[in-house]
Amino acid sequence: MVKNKPNPDDRSDNVENIQSIIVHTIENMREAEAAIEHSNSKDAAEIEAKNERRREALDALRSEVKEEAQASQNGYTE
């Protein structure tokens, strides 16, 4: 009988990955804002709503970066 051993959770690059997501999200927001100029009022409202959700996501991602950085400094690797 073969026992499968789960792979350890490698969190060493989490901060970098989250920061990359933040950068891409900000880029998407800027592109969406530029698209508003060429959009009708309905589409512009949808873009604004989506960017608001992106802002909320950015807040959560920034918080997660802080938590991951702190965990890394404290030596937690789970």
Side-chain angles (χ1 to χ4, degrees), residues 7-64:
N7 292 332
D9 184 14
D10 181 9
R11 301 174 76 177
S12 62
D13 62 348
N14 280 6
V15 171
E16 292 84 9
N17 289 338
I18 297 167
Q19 287 174 331
S20 175
I21 293 168
I22 289 171
V23 168
H24 291 294
T25 300
I26 292 170
E27 289 173 0
N28 289 340
M29 288 175 68
R30 288 183 181 144
E31 290 174 9
E33 289 291 331
I36 287 177
E37 294 178 24
H38 308 291
S39 301
N40 61 40
S41 60
K42 179 182 177 243
D43 290 341
E46 290 175 1
I47 291 169
E48 286 294 335
K50 187 164 189 170
N51 274 354
E52 181 57 34
R53 291 190 300 273
R54 286 176 170 144
R55 283 194 252 326
E56 292 169 4
L58 284 172
D59 289 341
L61 288 167
R62 288 179 178 127
S63 177
E64 192 171 342

